[in-house]
Amino acid sequence: MDDIRFAGFYSDYLLQSGIPAGDDVIVSALLDAAQLDTLLVRHTLSRERFTFKTQTYSRNPDLWRLVLLQVRENIRKKTVSAQ
C-alpha cells in the first residue's frame, strides 16, 4: 500500500514541479517545503515513511521500477483526463 501512495505522491510531485508528461517543453519549478508537506499529507505519507521508502527503493531497483511504472500510468491518466 505504501508503494501505491508513494507512486501517487511522486506522480503529483512531477506534475506540480513542471515535468512534462508528453513532448511539450515545460519550465520546471521547485516545490517549497510547505508544498511538499501538502503532497505528503494528501497521500498519507509521513516524512519518516517517505525517507524509509526512498531508502528501500535505492536498495531494490526492481521495486523502484514497478513504482515508476505506476507513476507513468498515473501521469498518463491525469494528463489524458485534463485534455
Side-chain angles (χ1 to χ4, degrees), residues 46-60:
S46 66
R47 283 195 175 260
E48 294 79 18
R49 196 70 189 154
F50 174 84
T51 300
F52 174 78
K53 292 308 292 181
T54 56
Q55 291 169 350
T56 299
Y57 300 139
S58 71
R59 291 188 303 268
N60 189 339

Side-chain angles (χ1 to χ4, degrees), residues 3-82:
D3 297 326
I4 292 170
R5 284 195 300 263
F6 190 93
F9 162 83
Y10 196 52
S11 302
D12 286 348
Y13 171 81
L14 291 175
L15 288 169
Q16 288 184 24
S17 64
I19 302 300
D23 294 333
D24 300 333
V25 176
I26 299 173
V27 177
S28 64
L30 296 176
L31 302 182
D32 62 25
Q35 291 169 309
L36 287 175
D37 286 340
T38 299
L39 279 178
L40 288 169
V41 167
R42 182 180 310 148
H43 294 283
T44 61
L45 286 168
S46 66
R47 283 195 175 260
E48 294 79 18
R49 196 70 189 154
F50 174 84
T51 300
F52 174 78
K53 292 308 292 181
T54 56
Q55 291 169 350
T56 299
Y57 300 139
S58 71
R59 291 188 303 268
N60 189 339
D62 291 331
L63 180 57
W64 180 233
R65 183 181 60 77
L66 293 174
V67 170
L68 289 178
L69 289 172
Q70 183 62 51
V71 168
R72 178 185 289 172
E73 182 62 16
N74 291 348
I75 290 173
R76 185 192 67 74
K77 285 179 182 177
K78 288 182 180 190
T79 56
V80 166
S81 67

